[in-house]
Amino acid sequence: MEELNEILKFYREIGAGFIEREHKNPLADLDEVTRVIKNCTRCQLHKTKKNYVPGEGSTSPDIMFIGEGPGETEDNFGRPFIGKAGQLLDKVIARMGYTRETVFIGNIVKCRPPNNRDPLKDEVDACMPFLIRQLEILRPKVIVCLGKVAMNNLLDVDYSIMEQRGKQFEFHGIPVIPTYHPAYILRQQSPDAVSKAKWDMWRDMEKVLAIVHGAGTIDAPPSNGAAE
Ligand code: URA
């Protein structure tokens, strides 16, 4: 009970809870969340990280991409998805007709878990108010969960990404489409497996575009320099 009160208190402190519908100044609100993230000591990850990685992009994005947590490169630079997986994500975003600046890219946890392990439950719980507050300010038309960790932690479920990718879920009224983490595509061993994974992801992105625009019209998967 005490723990629950603590969590509620923090949600109130940062104003998260999908209470406000109008955000008169999303940039200032987002800056404030970023400021709080950059002072966070709510879980152990702050002790081992080099930089906080709050997320970045548009303040009125159609799409918000959510990964699991910063890797080494992201930790070094304080920016999300800028390593190899990020380069592939950039291509997917471009093929969808967007740029990093016109979507928002964030993560379930804002500090790198040591050795890129999955974030622990208490770390996710500690960080979730930040993501909720970001979503509340940004109000994307669609959320894309990149991989199982993002999907399961955002939706509070224990699903297989293989079974659930491309299906539509909802988070506080916002449609959610889970898809592969780009690193999964990069890990595929054969050209056929790479090609299949890209097409699967691309079909998922067409669903995302269909929600945003009312139609998914793009007919080729993104290329991926590293795997081709
Ligand atoms: N993988 C993630 O899940 N997030 C990042 O920011 C980078 C790699």
Side-chain angles (χ1 to χ4, degrees):
M1 191 64 186
E2 210 168 288
E3 203 181 315
L4 181 64
N5 281 334
E6 265 305 298
I7 292 169
L8 288 174
K9 186 164 155 264
F10 184 67
Y11 269 76
R12 271 197 300 274
E13 269 167 29
I14 67 162
F18 280 88
I19 298 159
E20 295 164 62
R21 298 283 152 194
E22 292 281 312
H23 281 275
K24 294 207 175 68
N25 195 340
L27 186 57
D29 290 344
L30 206 59
D31 282 351
E32 175 59 13
V33 182
T34 299
R35 191 191 61 75
V36 182
I37 290 171
K38 288 186 172 175
N39 287 289
C40 181
T41 56
R42 285 171 52 76
C43 82
Q44 59 189 344
L45 292 182
H46 80 277
K47 294 184 195 151
T48 48
K49 61 106 190 59
K50 283 192 190 142
N51 285 291
Y52 294 95
V53 183
E56 64 187 35
S58 165
T59 52
S60 56
D62 285 347
I63 307 166
M64 176 157 174
F65 291 87
I66 301 178
E68 59 180 80
E72 187 178 12
T73 315
E74 291 77 19
D75 184 40
N76 283 337
F77 291 92
R79 299 182 59 204
F81 279 99
I82 53 165
K84 282 215 172 84
Q87 285 159 24
L88 177 53
L89 181 62
D90 284 348
K91 290 183 181 171
V92 174
I93 291 171
R95 183 74 66 161
M96 294 172 83
Y98 292 89
T99 62
R100 287 179 76 93
E101 291 74 32
T102 57
V103 299
F104 195 91
I105 305 175
N107 277 302
I108 295 286
V109 293
K110 316 303 190 202
C111 294
R112 181 189 183 202
N115 301 317
N116 299 342
R117 65 158 168 73
D118 288 355
L120 305 176
K121 185 178 173 342
D122 65 303
E123 295 159 356
V124 172
D125 288 349
C127 220
M128 195 51 87
F130 296 129
L131 183 59
I132 290 182
R133 183 71 180 136
Q134 288 175 325
L135 283 165
E136 196 180 46
I137 294 165
L138 300 168
R139 289 241 145 224
K141 291 182 185 152
V142 189
I143 297 168
V144 176
C145 286
L146 298 167
K148 181 179 92 166
V149 170
M151 170 184 72
N152 283 342
N153 284 300
L154 184 77
L155 301 176
D156 198 16
V157 291
D158 187 14
Y159 292 158
S160 147
I161 193 72
M162 295 297 166
E163 287 168 15
Q164 304 302 328
R165 53 152 275 273
K167 295 188 185 161
Q168 186 171 334
F169 299 86
E170 207 182 86
F171 186 78
H172 291 267
I174 305 172
V176 177
I177 304 278
T179 191
Y180 297 140
H181 193 290
Y184 167 79
I185 299 179
L186 296 176
R187 279 198 305 271
Q188 298 309 300
Q189 298 293 322
S190 71
D192 279 0
V194 171
S195 173
K196 182 188 176 310
K198 279 187 197 170
W199 272 109
D200 283 349
M201 186 174 189
W202 191 243
R203 266 182 229 110
D204 301 344
M205 294 307 98
E206 286 189 322
K207 289 185 186 161
V208 172
L209 290 172
I211 297 170
V212 173
H213 299 302
T217 53
I218 292 137
D219 57 5
S223 65
N224 150 22
E228 278 176 355

